[in-house]
């Protein structure tokens, strides 16, 4: 099974720029690339920070764009989002019984959970409160022995970044305690604006960069807090015995300086 992970759109109203970049054009280019190269993907997940300032117009424009997108798409919230504004546009949800933007799907015998870790202003950190925990407990129990993949905006552990580790999931250990005894294979997150992968307490994890501005790995390695580095989306191949996560820098994909016929007969 193949699916796509996109994160951190930071949309502003169409035509506006953010830190010198055009978020809506980046989204359009990303979606067009996915349609062109990965139309066989089972689904696309956009793991939060849909709108830079949680504004209704950006959500309306996102919804209108996704209405024309032919691949099933699951949208989630990040710290830049506004839950009420989002649900005023995405009136059909996804949402759980308490109004959090959480949902679950099953594909190929695997359970995918899309979590809402939005804490709310003025904090940029994440939170997974008792009501959200109750939903997760129910979902984990319902999954039984089926493998589980979690999607969440905020990582539930430190990622060795001086700034990001200040705004990870606040109640990470309470959250992680819920996962004990369940077959969570991989955690997908966003938020970091960096390509990251590794393993944490037996669970593999990955995060793609943002579609727009990035966060330098080493603070002050550039003169500004954010950096202009390649945007990427992740193409994930999941099977019973493995998961492969490719990060594709789709805006930086250009032909090499070589004859188009060179090196075509040596792949054996
Ligand atoms: Fe973000």
């Amino acid at each position: 099974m193949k699916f796509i992970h996109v994160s951190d759109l930071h949309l502003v109203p169409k035509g506006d720029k953010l830190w010198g970049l055009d978020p809506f054009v980046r989204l359009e280019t990303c979606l067009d690339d996915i349609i062109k190269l990965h139309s066989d993907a089972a689904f696309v997940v956009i793991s939060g920070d849909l709108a830079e300032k949680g504004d209704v117009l950006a959500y309306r424009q996102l919804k209108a764009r996704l209405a024309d997108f032919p691949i099933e798409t699951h949208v989630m919230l990040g710290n830049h989002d506004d839950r009420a504004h989002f649900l005023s546009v995405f009136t059909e949800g996804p949402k759980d019984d308490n109004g959090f933007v959480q949902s679950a799907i099953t594909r190929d015998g695997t359970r995918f959970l899309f979590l809402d870790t939005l804490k709310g202003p003025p904090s940029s950190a994440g939170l997974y409160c008792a009501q959200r925990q109750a939903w997760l407990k129910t979902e984990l129990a319902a999954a039984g022995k089926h493998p589980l993949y979690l999607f969440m905006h905020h990582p539930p552990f430190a990622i060795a970044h001086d700034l990001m580790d200040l705004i990870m999931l606040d109640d990470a250990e309470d959250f992680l305690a819920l996962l004990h005894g369940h077959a969570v294979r991989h955690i997908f997150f966003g938020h970091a604006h960096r390509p990251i992968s590794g393993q944490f307490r037996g669970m593999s994890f990955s995060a793609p960069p943002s579609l727009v501005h990035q966060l330098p790995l080493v603070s002050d390695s550039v003169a500004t807090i954010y950096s202009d580095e390649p945007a990427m989306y992740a193409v994930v191949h999941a099977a019973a015995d493995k998961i492969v996560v490719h990060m594709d820098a789709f805006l930086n994909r250009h032909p090499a300086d070589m004859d188009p016929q060179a090196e075509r007969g040596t792949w054996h």
Side-chain angles (χ1 to χ4, degrees), residues 7-10 48-49 79-80 153 164 190-193 210 213:
S7 201
D8 293 83
L9 311 181
H10 289 262
D49 281 0
N79 50 293
H80 280 260
H153 184 74
M164 268 300 147
H191 193 46
H193 291 228
S210 163
H213 56 285

Side-chain angles (χ1 to χ4, degrees), residues 53-100:
K53 292 184 175 158
D55 50 307
V56 168
L57 181 54
Y59 291 132
R60 280 197 195 123
Q61 291 174 340
L62 173 63
K63 187 178 182 185
R65 179 62 190 87
L66 292 179
D68 295 332
F69 187 61
I71 306 173
E72 167 188 326
T73 301
H74 300 273
V75 291
M76 299 166 53
L77 300 185
N79 50 293
H80 280 260
D81 289 305
D82 182 304
R83 193 178 293 110
H85 287 176
F86 171 84
L87 287 171
S88 75
V89 175
F90 287 79
T91 50
E92 71 286 7
K95 63 183 168 187
D96 67 16
D97 291 344
N98 291 309
F100 292 102

Side-chain angles (χ1 to χ4, degrees), residues 3-10 45-50 74 76-79 112-118 124-126 128 148-161 163-165 167-169 172 175-176 179 184-201 203-211 214-215 217 232-236 243 245-247:
F3 56 91
I4 310 290
H5 181 197
V6 179
S7 201
D8 293 83
L9 311 181
H10 289 262
V45 184
I46 307 177
S47 61
D49 281 0
L50 304 174
H74 300 273
M76 299 166 53
L77 300 185
N79 50 293
F112 296 86
L113 306 185
F114 308 116
L115 311 185
D116 179 344
T117 60
L118 171 56
S124 298
Y128 208 68
L148 285 151
Y149 289 168
L150 303 188
F151 283 85
M152 53 200 298
H153 184 74
H154 294 81
F157 46 82
I159 56 170
H161 190 284
L163 296 178
M164 268 300 147
D165 290 345
I167 55 170
M168 56 177 267
L169 193 70
F175 170 81
L176 291 164
L179 307 185
V184 177
R185 295 189 59 198
H186 191 96
I187 298 179
F188 297 90
F189 59 89
H191 193 46
H193 291 228
R194 297 212 56 78
I196 303 173
S197 61
Q199 194 186 67
F200 176 75
R201 298 186 188 170
M203 299 174 285
S204 56
F205 63 83
S206 59
S210 163
L211 286 196
Q214 312 303 348
L215 190 62
L217 175 58
M232 303 181 198
Y233 63 82
V235 179
V236 184
I243 181 163
V245 182
H246 288 280
M247 302 280 180

